[in-house]
Amino acid sequence: MSTQTIARQFREQREGDWQRLEAILRVAERKSVRALSDEDLLALPVLYRGALSSLSLARETSLDLELVTYLEGLCARAYFFVYGVRTTAGAKFLTFFRADWPDAVRSLWRETIVSALLMALGALAAYLLVSNDPTWFEAFVPSDLGGDRNYQASAEELRRTLYDAPEGGSGLSFFATFLFTHNAQVSLMCFALGFAFGVPTAMLLVHNGTMLGAFFALFQDRGLAFELGGWLSIHGTTELFAIVLAGAAGFRIGWAVVFPGEETRLAAATRAGRSAAIAMIGVVIMLMCAGLLEGYGRQLITGDWTRYFIGWTLLLLWLAYFYLPRRRADG
C-alpha cells in the first residue's frame, strides 16, 4: 500500500475528531472557554489527547509533512486551553498585591536592612555635624530644597512652614506633584545605579539621610524637633520606606554583579533584576501614596499627634503587609 493511500485512510478515520476540536477551539479563541457548552468542555481534553495520538502516529509512520504540521498547530492551540494558565487582568492585579509584591520585598530583607542602616548613618552624621557647626547645613541641604528652612530663619518662621498651608488648592496639588517626582527620581536612581556594584546606591542613601539629619539639627536648635517629626511622619514613613526598598532593589542587582556565583555577571544581574523590578513597581505605588499625603494630608492635618498617629500607623501597616506570614492561595 502506498504512502499516499495510508495517509488518506489515516485522515479519513480521524478527521471528524480534528474538525470538532478545531470548531471548539475557534469558539474558545473568539470568545472564551466560558462560551463553550458543557458537552464541548468535556470533549475538549479527550479530543486533545486524540489529536496528540494522531500526531505521534503521523510522525512515526513518516506521513506527509503538511499533515504533521497541521496536527502540531492544532495540538499547540488545544494545549493552551487544556493546560495553559488563563488569568484575567483583574486576577493578575490581585495576584501582584496578594503575593508577587510582598514576596519580592520579603526576599530583599537583607538588602533592606543595609539600605536602612546607610540612610540612618547619614542622618546621624549630618545631625551631629550641623549641631556642632551650623555652616555644615548648606553642605547637606541645597538651597532650592531647603527654601525658607535655614539657619537665617527664626523659630516662628520655621513653625509657619510646618503648619501654614499654601494659598489655594492648586498650590497643594503642585506641591504634591513636585515632591512625588523628586522622590520617584531618587528611588529610581537608587535602583538603576545598583548595577555599578551598589556604590552609587549607597551614596544616594547616605546623602538622603544627611538631608534628614541636617533638618532635624536645625529644628532642634529652634526647639521644634517634635513638631518636625510630626510634619515628616504623616508622609515620611511611607516615603522613606519606599526609598529604602528602592535602595535594597539596587543592592540586589549590585551584589549579583559582584558575587555572580557560577553564572556570568550578566545572567546573575538579570535573574536578580526580576524580583527587584517587581519590588520597584510597588515602590512607585508607595511614592504615589506618600505624594498625596505630603501634598494634601500633611497640609490639611495640622495636629502633631494626629500626624504621628497617621504616619506610624501606615508604617506598621506596610510592615505587616510585607513581613507577616500569609497563606498562599492555590492555583
Side-chain angles (χ1 to χ4, degrees):
M1 188 179 295
S2 67
T3 303
Q4 290 183 345
T5 303
I6 294 174
R8 186 176 62 255
Q9 291 178 349
F10 183 84
R11 182 186 291 271
E12 289 173 352
Q13 291 170 2
R14 297 167 173 81
E15 195 166 21
D17 288 342
W18 302 342
Q19 290 175 348
R20 186 182 177 194
L21 176 58
E22 194 160 12
I24 292 173
L25 293 177
R26 279 198 297 269
V27 174
E29 290 167 346
R30 189 170 60 250
K31 299 178 182 178
S32 72
V33 175
R34 296 185 182 87
L36 298 176
S37 65
D38 292 342
E39 183 181 356
D40 286 343
L41 279 173
L42 292 173
L44 178 58
V46 177
L47 293 170
Y48 167 65
R49 287 192 291 271
L52 277 180
S53 177
S54 298
L55 175 60
S56 178
L57 287 171
R59 286 171 171 168
E60 287 179 5
T61 54
S62 301
L63 296 181
D64 64 277
L65 181 61
E66 182 181 354
L67 177 60
V68 172
T69 303
Y70 165 75
L71 289 172
E72 285 176 344
L74 184 64
C75 290
R77 290 165 59 199
Y79 174 87
F80 175 80
F81 291 101
V82 175
Y83 296 111
V85 177
R86 299 176 297 279
T87 58
T88 63
K92 291 179 180 178
F93 182 81
L94 291 175
T95 300
F96 173 80
F97 284 99
R98 187 174 61 240
D100 295 347
W101 183 17
D103 286 351
V105 170
R106 197 178 299 110
S107 72
L108 297 171
W109 69 270
R110 294 180 184 85
E111 294 89 343
T112 301
I113 291 173
V114 172
S115 183
L117 287 175
L118 284 170
M119 188 178 290
L121 179 64
L124 178 61
Y127 176 82
L128 294 174
L129 286 170
V130 175
S131 295
N132 287 284
D133 184 359
T135 58
W136 278 98
F137 182 83
E138 294 181 0
F140 296 128
V141 181
S143 58
D144 57 338
L145 181 63
D148 296 330
R149 304 177 182 93
N150 52 52
Y151 269 87
Q152 284 70 50
S154 65
E156 187 55 36
E157 288 172 335
L158 291 178
R159 180 180 292 275
R160 281 199 297 269
T161 66
L162 300 178
Y163 298 106
D164 291 353
E167 296 181 1
S170 61
L172 292 177
S173 291
F174 175 78
F175 196 47
T177 302
F178 168 77
L179 288 169
F180 165 70
T181 303
H182 170 76
N183 294 323
Q185 287 174 344
V186 172
S187 299
L188 290 173
M189 287 178 66
C190 282
F191 172 64
L193 296 176
F195 74 93
F197 310 110
V199 174
T201 298
M203 294 174 64
L204 279 169
L205 290 167
V206 171
H207 177 63
N208 234 46
T210 59
M211 290 192 293
L212 183 64
F215 271 122
F216 262 102
L218 167 63
F219 280 78
Q220 173 65 32
D221 185 70
R222 302 295 193 269
L224 297 170
F226 177 79
E227 291 83 350
L228 176 66
W231 183 82
L232 285 171
S233 290
I234 195 170
H235 75 282
T237 52
T238 296
E239 177 183 306
L240 294 176
F241 192 18
I243 294 173
V244 165
L245 291 178
F251 282 136
R252 168 60 61 87
I253 297 174
W255 291 349
V257 173
V258 177
F259 306 108
E262 297 181 356
E263 299 178 293
T264 65
R265 283 189 165 81
L266 180 59
T270 301
R271 179 175 50 78
R274 294 190 185 100
S275 60
I278 293 173
M280 278 304 300
I281 294 172
V283 164
V284 174
I285 296 172
M286 292 177 71
L287 288 172
M288 291 177 66
C289 295
L292 292 173
L293 288 168
E294 192 163 16
Y296 292 90
R298 192 186 61 192
Q299 302 295 340
L300 300 175
I301 301 171
T302 56
D304 292 327
W305 286 109
T306 305
R307 287 175 169 179
Y308 274 108
F309 176 78
I310 292 173
W312 290 93
T313 298
L314 283 173
L315 178 60
L316 289 175
L317 290 174
W318 286 121
L319 292 173
Y321 170 64
F322 290 130
Y323 299 112
L324 283 184
R326 70 191 68 212
R327 290 187 302 174
R328 294 295 300 267
D330 294 332

